[in-house]
Amino acid sequence: MRGLEDADPEPHSFDEASRRAIFDGFVRDSTYGKAWLIVCDEKYVGYVVLTVSFSFEYRGYDAFIDELYIAKEYRGRGIGLRAMEFVEVAAGELGVNAIHLEVSHGNDPAIGLYRRAGYAGNNRHLMTKWLTK
């Protein structure tokens, strides 16, 4: 997760203890979604997290590819695209109708990957309000 934050062009603070606690809660309750490690050459080279929610607009379950990370030295090999294809199949098996994702402005390699995978922008703005500090 630290590698993902470090690779993002938008600065974020990384609190490992907080992330571990969030991840522990995530894996304890399968209704939140699923996470997978990505393996290449018998090494862990990344991970992907799919979170699931419910939407009337998307006719039931929808999901976010909340995090996708491939170690720098393994990028450009098609691993990310294969991971996304895998997640789409898994999401379909969970009854998900639509998958969303966010990408930071300026993260051109990720934007290119997501476009190659068939994702497109829309005429909406993702807006956020934090309810906790």
Side-chain angles (χ1 to χ4, degrees):
M1 288 182 174
R2 183 180 302 279
L4 177 65
E5 293 295 334
D6 290 346
D8 195 324
E10 288 189 17
H12 300 273
S13 63
F14 184 82
D15 177 354
E16 186 169 338
S18 173
R19 292 294 178 97
R20 283 183 183 275
I22 292 167
F23 186 74
D24 286 347
F26 176 83
V27 296
R28 273 192 236 115
D29 188 340
S30 64
T31 63
Y32 291 148
K34 299 208 179 273
W36 299 270
L37 291 170
I38 300 170
V39 178
C40 181
D41 300 330
E42 299 180 10
K43 297 178 185 173
Y44 295 117
V45 301
Y47 69 96
V48 60
V49 175
L50 181 80
T51 59
V52 178
S53 62
F54 190 89
S55 167
F56 285 92
E57 180 177 357
Y58 294 104
R59 299 182 304 274
Y61 292 113
D62 65 338
F64 266 87
I65 295 178
D66 191 59
E67 296 198 358
L68 171 61
Y69 174 74
I70 308 294
K72 188 173 186 175
E73 60 272 20
Y74 286 88
R75 295 177 192 162
R77 298 185 185 187
I79 296 169
L81 189 59
R82 287 193 303 272
M84 293 185 72
E85 291 167 349
F86 171 86
V87 167
E88 290 170 10
V89 170
E93 291 170 357
L94 294 172
V96 169
N97 296 316
I99 300 177
H100 317 282
L101 53 81
E102 290 180 81
V103 61
S104 295
H105 296 281
N107 192 345
D108 295 334
I111 292 169
L113 166 64
Y114 301 147
R115 285 187 175 143
R116 285 190 303 280
Y119 290 76
N122 56 42
N123 292 325
R124 297 181 180 222
H125 299 282
L126 178 65
M127 300 173 71
T128 304
K129 178 179 180 181
W130 288 88
L131 300 180
T132 60
K133 293 183 182 186

